[in-house]
Amino acid sequence: MGSTSAHNNGGLGRRDVIKRSAALGLITVPTMGFLSACATSGGGDDNDKKTETPKGETSAENPLGVKNGAALEAFIFKGGLGDQYAKDAEADYKTKYKADVKHTGTQQVGPKLTPRFAGGNPPDVIDNSGADHLDMNKLSSQGQLQDLKALLDAPSMDDPAKKIRDVIHPSTLDKGMHGDKFDVLYYAFTIYGTWYSQKLLDAKGWTYPKTLDEMVTLCGEIKKAGIAPWTYAGKFPYYVHFNLFAQIAKIGGIEPWIAIDNLEPKAWTSNDAVKQVVEHYEELAAKKYFLEGSQGLTHIQSQTAWTRNKAVFIPNGSWVENEAAPTTPKDFGMAVGALFDGTGDKMPTGTLRGEPSEPYIVSAKGKNPTGGMELLRIMLSKKHAQNFATKVKSLTCVQDATEGMTLSPGLASASKAVKAAGPNLISLQLQEWYPALTDEKIGGLTGQLLTGDLKAADWIKKTQAEADKVAKDSSVAKFKRTS
């Protein structure tokens, strides 16, 4: 669970917190290397009393009323994007409010913070990303997440005439809702898709395919050239869902996908696009178009195989450029392609999955939630949005922040793909709302599909059964999507 001393748990010993968390059902036993960590404040003792938030005077410069000298604790996921960009924003907070900022960068957000939430002593602001993240749905339903309406209504750092809600991507506002409460700020804007080396394609005379059938044909040519067409993170097969799920929505249309997001009966089995897409993956597996041994690779290992040209394509998000930088040749020409056309598509050629990512939350029961929101306001300035693009080669939710900047190859390709897609950007909720379902249960089935151990028809039937189980499970908080 990570090393957490007694004083960090509001006086509770770490073992007591873990015992209490287990007894309350707050800790989920991880499967397939994924921890769906749930957290709450337990109930009924002194640890559940909310600390009074230190308040300062509000002003044009300090619209949220941060108290001068009020310390801030930030817990930042340190994965593909690193955490320097957050430290840079924290430095501005520290200077502006003459306050100490305690920073923790980690890949184990859930394991380290489950006892903190259970002990009633969570940090103020958290980048809740990575495989081992906290279950935000449970946190929200238990009142642990700060309502961020005050942040949305605050003036932006760059133009006081514009509120924060006016400068961020509209989908960020939609995705951060739990019911009628906006309590998650997805800071990054990630482009998901099929990533490849433009240099390799050019050298071999290959063209990025437009259709699923063209992809199968090209895979045959690639295999004959002695290269694997595809690789993927077999240890975390939900990476494949970044493409697979969006491909279903592209072909079948967003309405049938909304039924999937809403866990409706027969949403998987009655959608012809599901059959079309899953059978495509079954064919790729049957023809052995995946790099041998991919099922045993982590995301880093699969990305390294890809940057070394052992495989041509990889399903991933736009953080990959930064995460794979240590092994990427300078002239690699990293690029991302749009979703493929199938048969009878409801969405046009060029449709792309692009959506808010990197979820930031502020603890309602932290010591300084006002400061947590102010840190996010600082991060949403053009200065820090551009710093993010420079440092981690990724877009933020701040609209038009990178205009006029010279972008890295992968980011330039992603930006071009977004412009080409226009309004045809797909955003999905299933993986955010029900990660245990998608990443563990369906992920396990996808792993079997890609090794040829599960047929498409069985994948669909079993996926529907798993979704039905979640739909009927009263212990899982449910959310409804209308558009």
Side-chain angles (χ1 to χ4, degrees):
M1 292 292 298
S3 57
T4 311
S5 60
H7 74 270
N8 280 340
N9 294 315
L12 284 174
R14 180 171 173 273
R15 189 171 295 175
D16 293 329
V17 171
I18 293 170
K19 276 162 67 179
R20 188 173 80 165
S21 298
L24 290 168
L26 310 180
I27 298 175
T28 306
V29 178
T31 57
M32 294 181 57
F34 182 93
L35 180 77
S36 185
C38 311
T40 183
S41 58
D45 64 21
D46 289 342
N47 293 303
D48 301 322
K49 290 177 184 171
K50 187 181 182 317
T51 308
E52 195 62 37
T53 305
K55 289 294 286 183
E57 292 292 320
T58 59
S59 65
E61 283 295 303
N62 183 11
L64 295 172
V66 178
K67 185 172 175 62
N68 221 40
L72 186 72
E73 184 179 3
F75 225 85
I76 308 298
F77 174 69
K78 191 176 181 179
L81 304 176
D83 63 347
Q84 186 58 46
Y85 73 93
K87 287 180 180 177
D88 293 343
E90 290 161 16
D92 279 4
Y93 177 93
K94 189 173 182 177
T95 300
K96 185 174 181 180
Y97 295 105
K98 299 177 176 57
D100 289 333
V101 179
K102 182 181 179 186
H103 175 99
T104 301
T106 182
Q107 290 196 16
Q108 296 182 302
V109 178
K112 289 187 174 179
L113 292 188
T114 293
R116 294 279 304 273
F117 273 97
N121 183 31
D124 300 304
V125 62
I126 302 157
D127 172 14
N128 185 39
S129 198
D132 292 344
H133 62 258
L134 294 157
D135 186 330
M136 294 186 294
N137 303 328
K138 286 206 172 184
L139 288 171
S140 181
S141 62
Q142 294 159 357
Q144 293 279 0
L145 303 187
Q146 175 73 26
D147 187 332
L148 301 176
K149 184 179 183 298
L151 170 66
L152 294 180
D153 291 337
S156 76
M157 303 285 286
D158 302 295
D159 181 357
K162 287 185 178 177
K163 294 179 178 179
I164 290 293
R165 66 170 72 248
D166 300 325
V167 301
I168 61 179
H169 202 282
S171 59
T172 305
L173 297 169
D174 294 333
K175 201 171 182 72
M177 301 293 289
H178 280 111
D180 58 359
K181 187 167 79 166
F182 180 82
D183 55 14
V184 184
L185 175 80
Y186 288 86
Y187 182 64
F189 194 83
T190 295
I191 307 310
Y192 297 94
T194 301
W195 292 78
Y196 59 95
S197 160
Q198 188 63 58
K199 181 191 178 186
L200 179 61
L201 259 61
D202 290 346
K204 298 290 185 181
W206 296 327
T207 303
Y208 182 82
K210 284 185 180 174
T211 70
L212 292 173
D213 288 344
E214 284 178 17
M215 171 54 82
V216 173
T217 302
L218 179 58
C219 284
E221 291 179 35
I222 292 169
K223 193 175 179 185
K224 280 179 193 165
I227 308 172
W230 285 88
T231 188
Y232 62 98
K235 288 274 179 87
F236 308 108
Y238 61 83
Y239 269 66
V240 178
H241 297 163
F242 298 151
N243 278 15
L244 191 153
F245 288 176
Q247 192 68 62
I248 290 169
K250 194 263 183 210
I251 295 172
I254 203 66
E255 288 302 321
W257 182 269
I258 288 172
I260 288 174
D261 274 346
N262 290 342
L263 303 176
E264 289 179 18
K266 300 182 181 175
W268 291 95
T269 52
S270 65
N271 185 346
D272 181 64
V274 175
K275 185 172 183 288
Q276 203 176 136
V277 172
V278 180
E279 284 181 351
H280 170 76
Y281 280 88
E282 180 185 50
E283 183 177 3
L284 295 180
K287 292 180 173 173
K288 302 196 182 307
Y289 287 158
F290 294 108
L291 177 68
E292 193 176 339
S294 287
Q295 68 268 26
L297 302 180
T298 65
H299 55 302
I300 299 295
Q301 290 167 332
S302 63
Q303 288 163 190
T304 301
W306 170 65
T307 56
R308 289 177 178 163
N309 289 332
K310 289 182 180 178
V312 176
F313 301 115
I314 191 168
N316 222 309
S318 47
W319 64 80
V320 68
E321 185 173 22
N322 194 58
E323 193 168 62
T327 64
T328 305
K330 281 192 170 62
D331 59 349
F332 188 72
M334 193 176 290
V336 62
L339 292 161
F340 308 110
D341 295 343
T343 304
D345 294 36
K346 299 291 191 294
M347 299 186 77
T349 299
T351 294
L352 190 69
R353 181 178 177 186
E355 62 185 54
S357 61
E358 211 67 20
Y360 270 78
I361 53 178
V362 174
S363 305
K365 300 182 182 182
K367 289 177 181 169
N368 188 9
T370 305
M373 287 193 286
E374 178 66 1
L375 178 65
L376 296 181
R377 195 173 77 96
I378 290 168
M379 288 171 63
L380 293 167
S381 65
K382 274 203 171 179
K383 170 187 172 182
H384 286 286
Q386 291 190 351
N387 184 51
F388 185 80
T390 302
K391 282 220 164 64
V392 308
K393 306 176 181 73
S394 188
L395 300 169
T396 66
C397 63
V398 181
Q399 298 190 86
D400 304 323
T402 58
E403 287 297 316
M405 290 179 69
T406 302
L407 304 178
S408 56
L411 184 54
S413 173
S415 298
K416 185 179 172 186
V418 170
K419 280 182 181 150
N424 301 302
L425 287 177
I426 289 172
S427 182
L428 311 176
Q429 288 289 21
L430 197 73
Q431 281 179 284
E432 299 296 334
W433 285 349
Y434 310 109
L437 167 66
T438 59
D439 299 0
E440 294 178 51
K441 301 297 184 182
I442 303 176
L445 298 173
T446 300
Q448 293 175 56
L449 177 75
L450 300 190
T451 53
D453 295 324
L454 189 68
K455 296 294 180 193
D458 292 324
W459 185 97
I460 296 167
K461 195 165 94 179
K462 290 184 177 186
T463 291
Q464 184 66 65
E466 292 295 349
D468 291 344
K469 277 186 210 168
V470 175
K472 290 169 187 167
D473 187 346
S474 60
S475 72
V476 177
K478 305 298 191 308
F479 304 93
K480 195 159 182 69
R481 177 177 178 181
T482 56
S483 63

